[in-house]
Amino acid sequence: MVLNFLKIAWRNGMKSKIFSFINIFGLAAGLTCCMLISIYLIHEVSYDKYQKDADRLFQMETAFSFEHGKEQVMPATPWPMAPAMQRDFPEIEQSTRVLALALFEDKTMLQYREGTAIPVSFYEDRGFMVDSNFFHMLTFPFIEGDPNTALQQPSCIVLSEETAHKLFGTGPALGKLIHVSSATYGDHNLTVKGVFRPVNAPSHFEANFFLSMRGGDMEEMIRRAENDYATNNMYVTYLKLRPGTDPARLEAKFPAFIDKYAGKDLKAYGYARRQFLVPVRDLHLRADLNNSITPTTSKTYLYILGSIAVFTLLIACINFMNLATARSAKRSSEVGIRKVLGAVRGGLIGQFLGESVLMSVISFSLAWAITVLLLPAFSMMTNRHLVFNVTEQIPLLAAFLGLAIFAGLVAGVYPAFYLSSFQPAKVLKGKFSNSLAAVSLRKGLVVFQFMISVTLIVSTVVINSQMKYLRNQDLGFNKTAQIVIPLRGAVAKQQTVALETEFRRNSQVLNAGAASYYPGIMNPSDNIMYREGDNPQTGKRVQMNFVDYDYSPTLELRPVAGRLFSREFTADTSGRIVLNEAAVKNFGYPSVQAAIGKRIKTDFQGRTETYEIIGVVKDFHFKDLHVAVEPYALRLQQMQNGYLIVHSGPGDPAPVLASLQAAWHKLDPNEPFEYSFLDEDFQKNYAAEERLSAMIGYFTVMAILISCLGLFGLASFSAEQRVREIGIRKVLGASVSGIVLLLSKDFMKLVGLAMLIASPVAWMIMHRWLQDFAYKVPIDWMVFAVTFVCTLLITLVTIGVQAVRAGLANPVESLRSN
């Protein structure tokens, strides 16, 4: 019996090759999208599950409340908080602290010299300073050294396998001495105490090296901060709770702890703080946390992608159901004869469901093969290491197979019950016709399909418009042809002025200046400042950057009052400051001119510093456009330069870069010359949105393709059913265009209805997505006009192929064959 069902299913498929292809390929395409997105989603929710005692590991978060009740959340705590909490709360078994070097520098120079050989030097990112017990709490498999003792001594370093290979080749690394040049740690020799191999699992800790917290230039800062529980918030604290501890009950004790240790100082500084815990396993999905150790993922993005996966598969299932019900008339005689010969309804239902499941299994096999082929490219697009190993992921494969079978059952259940309900007497007399319910269902499903497609098209248009806006928006400074060169080694910092002078000898170099930070990268330096004569509790948070004389002219910052730093004013070297417009407004000055000559103060670790405002620059975006421009200040302090910025002229940058490299090695032959472009660095802040835009774009195309396949199938069926009518109309003088209009208008009405229903839904979804940006494009009527035109054109092209073919058919042949 089963073999007979399979033979019948195969013959039916071969008799209707086009419809079988549309069903199989459409469902395979939907399953492929669903598989790829599912692999990505599983990866995103699997972060840090490999950690030992992961359910007891938490990261301490701080919610800072500044003026006007504005709250900023970040994993930032002062130096003494971790040991004090472990001392005061018996629920805490262990604590450790981490300082991400990315807070202060995007690159750290590592250097190794063996004997008199040429040193191996390069810049490395993703470095961290950690407590000696860091590897007791977080899992990193060592291939050299002992994780329990690796960081017990000061001035030690633990390297990743890849970084060790770059320094030492295939030889052992343990015990070797390397030189580290860091804006945070300073210039020091460190001993390699361990090498770890990154785990083959998602982790929020993407590290290339770990430095011992003790040692280097941080010693003095740590010593001064031993009793400071209010400021110096730059350490990430991890807690390991004892078994059975309720995190919520522990959190309830934190306000009293803060009041005990920092209440007085916080009141004096004019801001408040709230501590809470986030499980380490949840960190990757907490996009609301600022300045996280590694980039996070927005849950909203995952929901969007998950919805696309579900709806794309749903579109494929709708195609399957529509085509099956539409072609039911072709199989009505078969059903009638089988019933006359004794077939029961249950057997017919089983046959039709079996055919549906068979096609879905074939679609699954095809989808699996396509997924395996596309996964490397998809991994590159998502910037994730995605794998789909059959031997290791049998449960996932079984789930996809179950999903395919379920999709086949869902897609085939209505046709199965509908076809099996035919009455043989009516069918064999030729009185069968598609019921109003079946026709109405098909129309409703077509509308639903195109509602999804329209929503995706609107989303793609809005996201692409926003990304274009982010790329082209005036940032308030010149980002074009700005070459950023990191200054890490002692020689490079000492030679900054000489490097600038040497660079300017090239006629293609327009200017050069240095600073601790540049727009688009993380800047953790801020102060609570207040106007002279005001209460310190009225202080305002101001972001701070330390610059040389030429930094502002190089970026072409625009002064709107006063002046910039100048070598003609020797007093600028101390006690002078330049603010942006947002800072002037925040301090309450009536105008930018009124602020010139006024004094502002800041209190830090027991001392008060006073600054005279000498200039105000037009607001510029030192952060990305997710956030509004905040109060910002520039101070002249040339010894803290972290980056040298060179503004080159228009044209090919290659000759300029070659000239800069030659000048660099002339003055600093032992340190590597590396560079980046400021506009590209700034654009990296939108990497998550760029990936989302690319993924939605590709999956939108796929969803539209699947919808069009279904529409093409229905149009073919409609033309086939109306062959005699079309022949008669042509005999009576109907034109080809009239025939095309006749066959197209019903489908165009359905697409228009889908557009009307989907437009407000798409607007609400995109309006909510844009709320993540302080600066955004409006969703105006042009978005929907473009979507409407695109949808109509796609529909016309899809239907038009069959409509024109039917219109050009010879009416004599049409009437003779029917």
Side-chain angles (χ1 to χ4, degrees), residues 105-111 120-126 163 166 181-182 208-209 485-489 492 642-643 664 668 670-675:
E105 57 195 79
D106 61 340
K107 297 181 180 72
T108 302
M109 191 180 76
L110 305 181
Q111 191 175 73
V120 177
S121 301
F122 56 89
Y123 289 103
E124 193 65 274
D125 59 359
R126 297 194 302 229
T163 304
K166 287 195 288 185
S181 297
S182 163
N208 287 321
F209 63 92
I485 304 170
L487 304 172
R488 292 294 173 265
Y643 302 91
W664 176 278
D668 189 1
N670 293 323
E671 296 181 15
F673 173 79
E674 288 198 10
Y675 67 90

Side-chain angles (χ1 to χ4, degrees), residues 175-319:
K176 290 185 177 178
L177 204 66
I178 66 173
H179 187 78
V180 175
S181 297
S182 163
T184 310
Y185 203 81
D187 275 80
H188 297 279
N189 293 323
L190 287 85
T191 304
V192 178
K193 288 291 187 178
V195 177
F196 67 91
R197 177 173 293 157
V199 293
N200 190 25
S203 172
H204 83 286
F205 247 116
E206 298 178 358
N208 287 321
F209 63 92
F210 293 99
L211 304 172
S212 56
M213 191 74 78
R214 298 285 182 174
D217 294 354
M218 288 296 296
E219 283 283 3
E220 179 59 25
M221 179 179 289
I222 289 173
R223 186 189 62 79
R224 293 200 309 264
E226 286 289 356
N227 296 306
D228 184 359
Y229 289 85
T231 63
N232 209 17
N233 296 285
M234 59 184 184
Y235 302 94
V236 179
T237 294
Y238 290 87
L239 302 178
K240 183 177 182 179
L241 305 187
R242 297 189 185 279
T245 299
D246 183 354
R249 290 188 177 182
L250 179 60
E251 284 181 351
K253 300 178 182 180
F254 289 166
F257 174 89
I258 295 299
D259 187 60
K260 173 184 175 181
Y261 287 97
K264 183 178 179 182
D265 290 336
L266 291 174
K267 185 176 181 180
Y269 290 133
Y271 70 94
R273 63 186 304 153
R274 175 175 58 86
Q275 308 295 150
F276 63 96
L277 301 175
V278 172
V280 166
R281 290 182 299 186
D282 296 345
L283 288 174
H284 183 66
L285 301 179
R286 291 299 298 266
D288 56 316
L289 303 178
N290 299 294
N291 300 340
S292 293
I293 283 181
T294 53
T296 57
T297 292
S298 169
K299 288 183 180 179
T300 302
Y301 292 175
L302 299 188
Y303 291 140
I304 290 173
L305 291 174
S307 300
I308 290 174
V310 172
F311 286 128
T312 304
L313 183 58
L314 199 56
I315 288 174
C317 292
I318 288 172
N319 278 353

